[in-house]
Amino acid sequence: MALETTLILFKPDAVAKNIVGTVLSRFENEGFKIRGMKMLFLTDELLADHYSHIADKPFFPSVRGFMQETPVIALALEGDDVIVKVRDLLGPTDSKAAAPGTLRGDFGDKEGDAKMRNVCHASDSPEAAAAEIQRFFKDGEVF
Ligand code: ADP
């Protein structure tokens, strides 16, 4: 077991549906600890960095537009093996393929953009988590 901190973004679909508190409760119910939390608008520059691995995909402009529909909420969440555990709680990228009981299965878009409107981002490795926490939080904003 490793004590880790992961970076979560509540995406604009979660903000618009008023389910941020519900999702946050699921994380807290697992015993994970909030170490940092803020609301921010994702600029083109931040999104280009954060989604550099999909920047050349045809769907990237849609993802950028979606991620700028509302400000997002960034969360630094600490816990034992939190990185993989939160990815499991989230479910796969495609909300339609996500099992009931997972966040994307319960709250993701099932009709239209199921692969895009999928509630939360969560870091997928310790390296990504470290880089993403630096990207979204300034020194002194994670406790
Ligand atoms: P994940 O967020 O599950 O780690 P990726 O890193 O592959 O997934 O993709 C980043 C985000 O881009 C996804 O969460 C989703 O919002 C969007 N996305 C991924 N694949 C597609 C797709 N085929 N069509 C539309 N949006 C997509």
Side-chain angles (χ1 to χ4, degrees), residues 21-38:
T22 304
V23 174
L24 187 57
S25 288
R26 292 219 188 164
F27 296 142
E28 289 195 292
N29 289 342
E30 294 294 317
F32 301 137
K33 298 291 180 197
I34 298 170
R35 294 300 180 213
M37 197 166 174
K38 70 198 286 192

Side-chain angles (χ1 to χ4, degrees), residues 11 51 53-54 59 62-63 66-67 87 90-94 104 115-118 120-122 124:
K11 296 187 181 187
Y51 281 142
H53 63 291
I54 57 164
F59 57 81
S62 304
V63 172
F66 162 57
M67 293 298 286
R87 294 283 295 189
L90 210 52
T93 307
D94 184 348
R104 287 170 170 170
K115 288 186 183 155
M116 185 170 79
R117 295 178 180 273
N118 57 11
C120 282
H121 162 82
D124 63 3

Side-chain angles (χ1 to χ4, degrees), residues 49-98:
D49 272 357
H50 181 63
Y51 281 142
S52 59
H53 63 291
I54 57 164
D56 59 347
K57 302 280 188 201
F59 57 81
F60 178 68
S62 304
V63 172
R64 186 176 52 214
F66 162 57
M67 293 298 286
Q68 293 180 332
E69 283 178 4
T70 70
V72 302
I73 294 169
L75 174 69
L77 193 70
E78 184 191 71
D80 287 325
D81 300 329
V82 69
I83 296 169
V84 70
K85 285 183 180 165
V86 165
R87 294 283 295 189
D88 287 347
L89 287 176
L90 210 52
T93 307
D94 184 348
S95 300
K96 267 193 238 166

Side-chain angles (χ1 to χ4, degrees), residues 10 39 44 51 78 89 91 98 129 134:
F10 293 89
M39 193 165 205
D44 288 356
Y51 281 142
E78 184 191 71
L89 287 176
Q134 285 243 319

